[in-house]
Amino acid sequence: MAGQTTADIVINSVGTYSVTVTSSKGCVNSSNFEVIESEAATIEFTKVLNFNDPNSITITIEDGIGDYRYKLDDGPLQMSNFFNYVTLGYHTITVVDLNGCRETTDQVLIINAQKFFTPNNDTYFDTWNIIGIETLPGSVIYVFDRFGKLIVNLNHNSGGWDGTYRGYNMPATDYWFLAKIKTPTEQFEYKGHFALKR
């Protein structure tokens, strides 16, 4: 690299360089610059399906060298790779390399149980379910009343509970659930309660 006199110079190493350009009329201009290493990131999410409250996402970079910033959905870029109080459902994570390499995006799903539902056919919270359970085949949820009576069992793609038992509306009160969660790498149980509001 040192002493090259061609119009195209290939640089293979990180470091500080100087280039001098001389025109055909003898004008000379010099510039110093630094070559840094940078590449697009490979995202690896730290995803824990343990129904955290509040829900959070930590992003780790598996491969990549760069000066990265992180963005959740359409939010602002931030230096921290940690997002707290993330709502349930699907989210887009973007990792931006400030050195100009391409952005890397991926989707993450926050899974947790709804705290309440209102089965009044207004299309808002009309059924109760564990948000994201449809992505976990083999998972099953059992819903009980306050006396421990099994009201309904839901498989991973059932769409949730509509607040009825044998065709009758159940009263507005708290209900309990036992979720047997099956992921590609583990199986575990999660218990909790939620409110039916009418």
Side-chain angles (χ1 to χ4, degrees), residues 12-69:
N12 295 320
S13 301
V14 172
T16 302
Y17 294 88
S18 176
V19 66
T20 301
V21 177
T22 305
S23 73
S24 59
K25 297 190 182 209
C27 295
V28 177
N29 194 355
S30 293
S31 180
N32 294 324
F33 60 94
E34 186 175 350
V35 174
I36 60 172
E37 207 170 5
S38 189
E39 63 186 6
T42 300
I43 301 173
E44 179 182 300
F45 297 108
T46 302
K47 292 187 276 193
V48 181
L49 298 175
N50 64 358
F51 299 84
N52 286 330
D53 192 11
N55 298 298
S56 62
I57 301 171
T58 301
I59 305 164
T60 54
I61 304 300
E62 188 173 276
D63 293 317
I65 300 168
D67 187 6
Y68 300 120
R69 297 297 181 269

Side-chain angles (χ1 to χ4, degrees), residues 45 71-74 90-94 105-108:
F45 297 108
K71 181 168 69 168
L72 177 66
D73 298 324
D74 294 322
Y90 290 93
H91 296 279
T92 301
I93 296 292
T94 305
T105 61
D106 205 350
Q107 198 169 58
V108 64

Side-chain angles (χ1 to χ4, degrees), residues 98-110:
L98 296 184
N99 295 317
C101 284
R102 67 179 173 83
E103 296 181 355
T104 304
T105 61
D106 205 350
Q107 198 169 58
V108 64
L109 173 63
I110 299 295

Side-chain angles (χ1 to χ4, degrees), residues 1 4 6 8-13 17:
M1 284 174 279
Q4 290 188 28
T6 62
D8 294 321
I9 299 172
V10 176
I11 298 174
N12 295 320
S13 301
Y17 294 88

